[in-house]
Amino acid sequence: MKLLSEIIAGLTNNLRSGSLFPTMTTVTFWPESRTCPQCGVWMKVLNTTTKPAATLAIGQFLAREYHYYCPRCGFVVGSEELRGLVPERCNIGYGVLAYVGKEFFLNSRDNEQIVMNLREKNVIVCRSEISYLAKKFIVCLALLHKKVQKETRAFLSMNGGYILHLDGTCEGESPHLISVLDGITEIVLDNTKVPSENADDLIPFLQ
Ligand SMILES: [Zn+2]
């Protein structure tokens, strides 16, 4: 019984993503469909590419991706699943990016702490890369915010509209950072930098 519980404890310890693949493993991704979405023809294998990748669930791994091509129209397709995990031409997955952003901006962790926490998840990044990823997170968040503007508007109108809260902050002579959020859902709707909090500077932003 003692031996059994030791084995179970060992297995539980090994469930951490950091222990899932102690050596770099290769995960293969195929396109989701074998038929061409443009003309319905059976596609052929064009090539495979391999790149290092890192996600929170797996840790570091090699992502091998199959690409198919359509012999009739030349359409080329890769794996949507891989694209959903790791951005094209990048190695760090979206999940890691979001983790770094939250740890950095919401939980005020410094680069060193984030590097150590990621190492436990078998994701190896250097301290300077954390600063880069935190900036990239903000850019991605801003782009996503813009992309779902219509959906956000529809969601707010379902709630019967919004209560606009507006506030600004500045340091010395720096521009004023103005943020507006909906008081009901607490969703930040937009923000901007303006020279002052005067009506002339604020009205164009609110319009
Ligand atoms: Zn085709």
Side-chain angles (χ1 to χ4, degrees), residues 36 38-41 70 72-75:
C36 174
Q38 295 188 9
C39 56
V41 164
C70 171
R72 184 184 288 171
C73 71
F75 181 81

Side-chain angles (χ1 to χ4, degrees), residues 55-72:
T55 65
L56 290 182
I58 303 176
Q60 305 278 139
F61 64 102
L62 288 173
R64 180 167 61 199
E65 183 183 19
Y66 275 77
H67 295 93
Y68 295 159
Y69 77 99
C70 171
R72 184 184 288 171

Side-chain angles (χ1 to χ4, degrees), residues 42-60:
W42 188 256
M43 291 188 286
K44 294 183 172 176
V45 174
L46 174 68
N47 59 16
T48 60
T49 53
T50 304
K51 67 173 182 180
T55 65
L56 290 182
I58 303 176
Q60 305 278 139

